[in-house]
């Protein structure tokens, strides 16, 4: 039947890119964040999911170009830094966004409480060791920011010490960026209510028990102090080379879509071609034919 051509479900577009809509600006107030909101996106959930899966092919190709670049002497890499309270969806980002690309090109690192060996070193020691090599997409599930989050809230080191760390982290990230790494920082924020539901699910379902940690409740009890610690992170460590993006995370599909777009934009911006062959292609074809 003639009529309007069917609209592709992936034709929906951002009204404002997440790079702009989610970027922390001076004066940003975390307390005012609506954690169910979908900044920059008005096309709804199914269009959002469709765009996320449509990102797969392009992201995958660009990641392969980055990998090829690393194999041929390039010094570039991308580092995705994920922060968020428990149940914020960091693992879902790894599975559903990072999972769109070839795992061979990913260097994933989850940061838990430091081991004894790590504790005997400077807090950035273990972070430096986990930085992506040239050609890789590095992913930090938690990061050096724990050293000004849980460490601050639980007073694991004196204030005189943690208060120095913001400047130190900025200097560290500047150095990392100068070495060829694009840093994409995303902080996922769930509401206290949504977190209760997600934790309840973990308790109800035997297949989710392994994800539950009794200390998650302790963190809930300290919620205001964590929010304050996050506010300080956003105030003090959102820099030009490594700006923070605040991602409302009560809607998982939105958080995944937004972070996939941030990553895609970063990869596009690298403007990577394919490395030129360092051999004579025609000559090799002739050799192959004769073999
Ligand atoms: P999960 O991400 O659920 O596996 O939990 C990891 C735990 O390790 C969280 O409670 C973090 O706060 C904690 N953690 C990560 N980094 C540090 C750190 N530098 N110092 C103390 N605890 C940390
Ligand atoms: Mg946990």
């Amino acid at each position: 039947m003639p009529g309007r051509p069917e609209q592709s479900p992936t034709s929906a577009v951002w009204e404002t890119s997440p790079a702009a809509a989610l970027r922390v600006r001076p004066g940003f107030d975390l307390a005012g964040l609506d954690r169910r909101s979908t900044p920059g996106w008005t096309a709804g959930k199914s269009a959002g999911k469709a765009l996320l899966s449509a990102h797969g092919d392009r992201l995958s190709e660009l990641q392969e170009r980055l990998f090829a670049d690393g194999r041929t002497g390039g010094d570039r890499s991308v580092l995705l830094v994920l922060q968020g309270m428990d149940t914020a969806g960091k693992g879902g980002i790894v599975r559903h966004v990072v999972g769109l690309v070839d795992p061979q090109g990913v260097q994933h690192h989850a940061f838990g409480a430091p081991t004894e060996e790590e504790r005997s070193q400077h807090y950035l020691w273990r972070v430096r060791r986990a930085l992506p090599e040239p050609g890789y997409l590095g992913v930090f599930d938690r990061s050096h920011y724990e050293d000004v989050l849980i460490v601050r809230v639980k007073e694991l080191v004196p204030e005189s010490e943690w208060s120095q760390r913001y400047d130190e982290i900025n200097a560290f990230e500047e150095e990392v960026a100068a070495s060829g790494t694009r840093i994409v920082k995303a902080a996922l924020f769930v509401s206290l209510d949504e977190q209760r539901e997600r934790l309840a699910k973990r308790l109800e379902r035997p297949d989710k028990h392994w994800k539950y940690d009794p200390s998650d409740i302790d963190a809930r009890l300290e919620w205001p102090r964590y929010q304050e610690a996050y506010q300080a992170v956003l105030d003090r460590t959102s820099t030009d080379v490594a700006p923070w993006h605040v991602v409302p995370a009560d809607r998982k599909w939105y958080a995944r879509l937004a972070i996939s777009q941030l990553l895609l934009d970063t990869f596009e911006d690298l403007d990577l071609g394919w490395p030129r062959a360092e051999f004579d292609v025609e000559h090799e074809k002739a050799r192959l034919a004769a073999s």
Side-chain angles (χ1 to χ4, degrees):
M1 215 169 69
R4 286 201 320 182
E6 193 174 306
Q7 228 194 346
S8 149
T10 59
S11 63
V13 292
W14 289 92
E15 303 228 314
T16 310
S17 74
L22 304 180
R23 185 174 177 148
V24 170
R25 314 247 169 229
F28 172 78
D29 178 20
L30 183 57
L33 180 73
D34 175 357
R35 295 162 189 221
R36 283 192 72 75
S37 63
T38 61
W41 186 261
T42 53
K45 180 174 177 175
S46 58
K49 284 186 151 184
L51 183 57
L52 170 64
S53 73
H55 280 161
D57 286 348
R58 183 67 179 155
L59 203 52
S60 207
E61 181 186 327
L62 293 175
Q63 183 269 329
E64 193 178 344
R65 286 185 193 223
L66 177 65
F67 194 77
D69 184 68
R71 280 298 167 92
T72 49
D75 65 355
R76 287 177 290 183
S77 60
V78 174
L79 173 62
L80 175 64
V81 176
L82 296 171
Q83 279 294 155
M85 302 284 287
D86 265 287
T87 76
K90 302 182 294 297
I93 299 297
V94 174
R95 186 196 285 214
H96 297 280
V97 179
V98 178
L100 294 170
V101 308
D102 185 343
Q104 292 183 96
V106 175
Q107 292 179 328
H108 170 268
H109 196 93
F111 289 91
T115 62
E116 205 172 313
E117 185 192 25
E118 288 167 349
R119 268 204 310 275
S120 72
Q121 304 281 345
H122 188 271
Y123 69 97
L124 290 175
W125 179 75
R126 65 174 186 164
V127 181
R128 287 185 188 279
R129 287 162 45 111
L131 288 170
E133 295 167 82
Y136 284 85
L137 166 59
V139 180
F140 284 179
D141 178 341
R142 304 188 189 269
S143 65
H144 42 296
Y145 285 100
E146 293 293 326
D147 294 287
V148 284
L149 289 165
I150 188 170
V151 166
R152 171 176 165 154
V153 169
K154 298 185 90 173
E155 297 173 66
L156 301 179
V157 305
E159 175 168 0
S160 59
E161 210 172 307
W162 60 251
S163 62
Q164 309 284 322
R165 292 182 173 177
Y166 301 94
D167 291 342
E168 201 170 22
I169 286 172
N170 288 341
F172 167 66
E173 291 181 353
E174 199 171 317
E175 182 196 319
V176 170
S179 77
T181 303
R182 294 291 182 100
I183 304 173
V184 181
K185 297 193 296 199
L188 286 82
F189 290 100
V190 274
S191 63
L192 201 51
D193 286 347
E194 178 68 21
Q195 194 198 41
R196 178 186 291 108
E197 275 176 36
R198 293 183 188 178
L199 287 174
K201 205 169 273 171
R202 287 185 183 181
L203 284 170
E204 274 154 29
R205 290 175 43 176
D207 63 322
K208 299 268 183 194
H209 285 169
W210 67 275
K211 283 193 188 183
Y212 184 82
D213 181 342
S215 74
D216 295 347
I217 305 292
D218 303 342
R220 275 178 73 74
L221 297 172
E222 303 268 29
W223 193 265
R225 299 193 63 201
Y226 270 103
Q227 300 309 300
E228 190 180 77
Y230 267 104
Q231 179 73 57
V233 162
L234 300 173
D235 287 342
R236 300 196 54 188
T237 63
S238 198
T239 59
D240 285 341
V241 291
W244 273 108
H245 300 91
V246 163
V247 185
D250 278 7
R251 298 177 198 265
K252 290 178 180 174
W253 64 266
Y254 173 78
R256 293 168 188 172
L257 173 64
I259 292 176
S260 74
Q261 189 70 57
L262 290 173
L263 267 187
L264 188 56
D265 292 353
T266 302
F267 273 99
E268 295 283 6
D269 197 55
L270 285 173
D271 200 18
L272 291 156
W274 289 107
R276 283 175 61 117
E278 285 173 352
F279 47 85
D280 181 336
V281 177
E282 293 310 316
H283 180 62
E284 294 303 313
K285 280 184 186 167
R287 288 182 63 217
L288 176 63
S291 68

